[in-house]
Amino acid sequence: MDEAEQLRTWEGYIDWRSRPAMKSRHGGVFAASVVLVVEVLENLAYLANASNLVLYLSKFMHFAPSSSANIVTNFMGTAFFLAILGGFLSDAFFTTYSIFLISAAIEFMGLLVLTVQAREPSFQPPICLSTATNNTCNHVRGGKAAILFTGLYLAALGVGGIKGSLPPHGAEQFDETTKGRKQRSAFFNYYVFCLSCGALIAVTFVVWIEDNIGWQWGFGISTVSILISGLIFLLGSSTYRIKLPKGSPITTIFKVLTAAIYNKCFFMKHGNAVMSRETSPPYATDNSDEGKSKSQQNDEINTETQDFKFLDRAVTNDPAHQALECTTKQVEDVKIVLRTTPIFASAIMLNCCLAQLSTFSVQQAATMNTKLGSLRVPPASLPVFPVIFIMILAPVYNHIVLPFARKVTKTEMGITHLQRIGAGLVMSILAMAVAAMVEMKRKRVAVKHGLLNSTEPLPITFLWIALQYLFLGSADLFSLAGLLEFFFTEAPVSMRSLATSLSWASLAIGYYLSSALVSIVNSITGYTGHTPWLKGSNLNHYHLERFYWMLCLLSGLNFLHYLFWAYRYQYRSRTSS
């Protein structure tokens, strides 16, 4: 009876009513497709505001351009960094299913607060009537600022929980067969495609409404969008297979590290021998009589790794305390996490470059001629260029490039995750070089026409800014899909949601780094009494081109760092190696 039940159910998975998930009924392409539809609406709700927020803060909340840019990068950084919390809770205590629903409700409340503030003049700062070059308007303060930041960071908390739970929830719908792994790879490609679909609506339709009808309508559309996304997610409940939480992965990591250090420093002094990894079974548990358990663990981990040998000391014949008792599998899991850390670190600089999409690039476009014929294009709609490019490239990559690469290389992956990430890093270097040259051209036009101190649009088309958007969009496609799939497939099963959230965490740290670099650059360049590169209310007085060249140089050094670790990385999965 038990064997028959095993054949019919997914081991370690349940349905939304906490019953065993059935192989004939739960998981698969349809369940993952519902997740993709949900992501379109969720990203629409998030990006409709994030892409235009810098202008809302400067024009309606009266923050300076650099302050607005920092608020936006801190908001977006917090949202993505909180994905770690969503991933951790999904793995440790709750499920990806429940975390998504809770997070969607929190984001809904945050957007509702922002909608009310944008609609009620009493919750906004006084209208600024100054037209001087150096704007003396006071930015929003006190209780009104509290409303603004409460709404922003409730939305950030919700976005973080969704980013940490929704991608792994969709990826978990596929099994570990060759067909399942290929479908999962396609899922991550189309996940980025769906991000772009939501972004396309956000940066065109919603941004136009915000600029021409009112921000209360823009926030309102986002609020309704996240509500509908939650309802659609619920409609797919009967099709999902939901991974059971397996306890805190962070606890496992700290236990192994603590045991290794303790056994090295104290335990061996008392004559207790540390098990030799070379003389013991590769994936033995602590109980030598549990042969069946050993066999199961041998099936889970394919090869014994020889790096991070100091962690081997965590496995002992006679642990000093039961709390420090570690299995060889736990040690191997921690080694996997440590091996992926340099890849995670390499993505931070790339995401620092991507942060420019929502900050200085938008402000640059706002100083230029944004007309296409008789149509005036909102500066915040500039991301439409990389978005459309991603929407074209993602299906081409999945249906043409990837099958061709698999055929040529005769491997399941065709193009490895690390190769995709590396391509994204190269694109980010080119993007910053192009951005610097475009800014130099923009300022030459301002000088030539005597408009350095003017707020009038410069006689240069904003389409020049589209060039850096195309390169940054390409970088985003290659890096994000590569990182999501890399962390999900390489991570131990008990840590998949947390590991996948590292993709978003690298984006968060990249946004924080962007804010920090702006502050550091201003401090250094203004130290000797000179005007800081990135300070003031007039973008024409900024030395933005120097900032972009600096990012280009840092990105080049980061790419060399990435090559060092990527070249030495050995894939965990059988098919990838």
Side-chain angles (χ1 to χ4, degrees):
M1 180 66 179
D2 289 341
E3 291 181 4
E5 184 74 11
Q6 253 187 339
L7 291 174
R8 292 189 292 110
T9 61
W10 294 110
E11 186 178 355
Y13 291 86
I14 57 174
D15 69 2
W16 70 292
R17 292 181 176 176
S18 300
R19 300 173 303 189
M22 309 298 293
K23 292 184 177 180
S24 60
R25 199 182 306 163
H26 301 108
V29 174
F30 181 80
S33 298
V34 176
V35 171
L36 294 178
V37 173
V38 169
E39 182 53 40
V40 173
L41 293 168
E42 186 278 326
N43 203 47
L44 188 162
Y46 165 66
L47 202 58
N49 304 312
S51 62
N52 207 19
L53 186 60
V54 68
L55 296 183
Y56 176 71
L57 293 171
S58 59
K59 288 186 177 181
F60 295 93
M61 297 293 150
H62 310 320
F63 288 100
S66 57
S67 298
S68 300
N70 278 347
I71 291 171
V72 172
T73 50
N74 289 337
F75 161 71
M76 298 177 77
T78 301
F80 290 126
F81 194 76
L82 286 170
I84 290 183
L85 177 63
F88 168 73
L89 293 175
S90 297
D91 280 335
F93 306 112
F94 301 96
T95 62
T96 51
Y97 178 85
S98 56
I99 290 297
F100 171 83
L101 292 174
I102 294 170
S103 301
I106 293 173
E107 184 177 355
F108 173 80
M109 289 189 291
L111 291 172
L112 193 61
V113 169
L114 293 174
T115 303
V116 172
Q117 183 177 41
R119 188 178 186 278
E120 294 296 327
S122 59
F123 294 154
Q124 303 167 19
I127 296 175
C128 180
L129 301 176
S130 173
T131 58
T133 302
N134 294 317
N135 196 334
T136 57
C137 295
N138 293 323
H139 62 75
V140 64
R141 299 176 186 276
K144 298 173 183 178
I147 294 173
L148 172 67
F149 289 107
T150 297
L152 282 177
Y153 284 95
L154 273 176
L157 178 59
V159 169
I162 290 173
K163 299 300 185 189
S165 59
L166 193 59
H169 180 77
E172 289 289 0
Q173 305 310 311
F174 303 104
D175 58 26
E176 294 301 326
T177 62
T178 300
K179 180 182 178 182
R181 288 192 296 267
K182 287 183 177 180
Q183 289 175 330
R184 182 189 299 145
S185 180
F187 166 80
F188 282 116
N189 289 330
Y190 276 102
Y191 180 82
V192 177
F193 174 83
C194 290
L195 283 173
S196 300
C197 289
L200 180 63
I201 303 171
V203 301
T204 53
F205 174 67
V206 182
V207 164
W208 184 88
I209 286 179
E210 290 168 346
D211 285 354
N212 294 277
I213 299 180
W215 269 87
Q216 68 272 24
W217 291 100
F219 284 128
I221 290 172
S222 297
T223 305
V224 173
S225 179
I226 196 65
L227 178 63
I228 295 174
S229 74
L231 295 175
I232 292 176
F233 185 82
L234 285 172
L235 289 175
S237 296
S238 61
T239 67
Y240 303 140
R241 66 172 200 161
I242 303 167
K243 183 171 70 71
L244 285 168
K246 297 187 177 181
S248 171
I250 295 178
T251 301
T252 300
I253 293 171
F254 277 106
K255 182 174 77 168
V256 170
L257 292 174
T258 302
I261 294 171
Y262 182 86
N263 291 339
K264 171 67 176 177
C265 298
F266 303 103
F267 192 42
M268 293 187 67
K269 292 180 181 180
H270 296 83
N272 293 302
V274 176
M275 287 179 64
S276 169
R277 299 291 294 281
E278 297 177 355
T279 59
S280 64
Y283 299 102
T285 59
D286 309 290
N287 302 316
S288 59
D289 60 328
E290 292 181 4
K292 183 178 179 180
S293 178
K294 293 179 184 177
S295 173
Q296 289 173 346
Q297 292 184 10
N298 267 321
D299 289 340
E300 274 191 57
I301 307 294
N302 299 319
T303 59
E304 181 180 3
T305 56
Q306 298 300 318
D307 48 358
F308 301 109
K309 295 293 288 183
F310 73 94
L311 291 179
D312 296 349
R313 298 182 180 275
V315 182
T316 66
N317 283 321
D318 185 19
H321 193 279
Q322 188 177 2
L324 295 179
E325 188 176 9
C326 300
T327 66
T328 314
K329 178 185 179 302
Q330 289 174 329
V331 172
E332 288 297 321
D333 286 350
V334 174
K335 285 187 176 185
I336 291 168
V337 173
L338 293 179
R339 284 204 306 274
T340 60
T341 302
I343 308 301
F344 161 77
S346 299
I348 293 173
M349 191 63 224
L350 178 146
N351 290 312
C352 178
C353 297
L354 288 175
Q356 311 315 312
L357 284 170
S358 304
T359 54
F360 288 124
S361 294
V362 175
Q363 293 173 330
Q364 281 176 285
T367 69
M368 303 166 79
N369 180 10
T370 59
K371 287 186 176 180
L372 284 177
S374 60
L375 176 67
R376 180 187 171 276
V377 179
S381 291
L382 267 177
V384 72
F385 294 103
V387 161
I388 292 175
F389 185 68
I390 288 173
M391 291 176 68
I392 295 171
L393 186 57
V396 169
Y397 178 85
N398 194 69
H399 296 288
I400 298 176
V401 176
L402 202 54
F404 177 76
R406 284 169 176 161
K407 185 176 181 180
V408 170
T409 61
K410 295 181 172 58
T411 62
E412 182 182 307
M413 295 177 69
I415 298 174
T416 67
H417 310 137
L418 294 178
Q419 288 170 345
R420 291 190 68 175
I421 298 169
L425 293 175
V426 171
M427 289 293 182
S428 69
I429 297 172
L430 296 175
M432 290 298 97
V434 169
M437 290 186 283
V438 168
E439 174 62 8
M440 292 167 67
K441 180 177 178 64
R442 190 191 70 84
K443 289 183 71 174
R444 281 198 300 267
V445 171
V447 171
K448 181 180 177 180
H449 292 84
L451 296 173
L452 267 181
N453 297 317
S454 175
T455 57
E456 295 180 18
L458 301 177
I460 177 175
T461 177
F462 76 108
L463 293 177
W464 282 101
I465 301 293
L467 292 174
Q468 64 209 54
Y469 273 79
L470 288 175
F471 280 104
L472 286 172
S474 303
D476 197 17
L477 171 64
F478 284 108
S479 61
L480 181 56
L483 284 167
L484 286 170
E485 188 173 1
F486 171 76
F487 286 123
F488 186 90
T489 56
E490 292 300 298
V493 175
S494 61
M495 303 182 188
R496 278 179 167 176
S497 297
L498 179 63
T500 307
S501 67
L502 291 178
S503 307
W504 306 109
S506 69
L507 193 58
I509 299 174
Y511 278 104
Y512 286 136
L513 179 61
S514 177
S515 294
L517 284 176
V518 169
S519 300
I520 292 170
V521 164
N522 281 339
S523 297
I524 293 175
T525 56
Y527 182 73
T528 57
H530 294 87
T531 302
W533 284 4
L534 307 171
K535 194 170 184 180
S537 59
N538 191 333
L539 199 69
N540 293 333
H541 294 161
Y542 283 33
H543 291 292
L544 194 55
E545 72 285 354
R546 299 178 186 175
F547 181 66
Y548 284 150
W549 282 122
M550 183 189 73
L551 291 180
C552 182
L553 176 62
L554 292 175
S555 298
L557 295 174
N558 178 63
F559 181 64
L560 296 178
H561 165 261
Y562 174 80
L563 286 179
F564 176 84
W565 293 104
Y567 181 76
R568 288 161 175 75
Y569 189 86
Q570 292 184 348
Y571 286 96
R572 171 177 179 258
S573 58
R574 181 182 298 121
T575 55
S576 301
S577 60

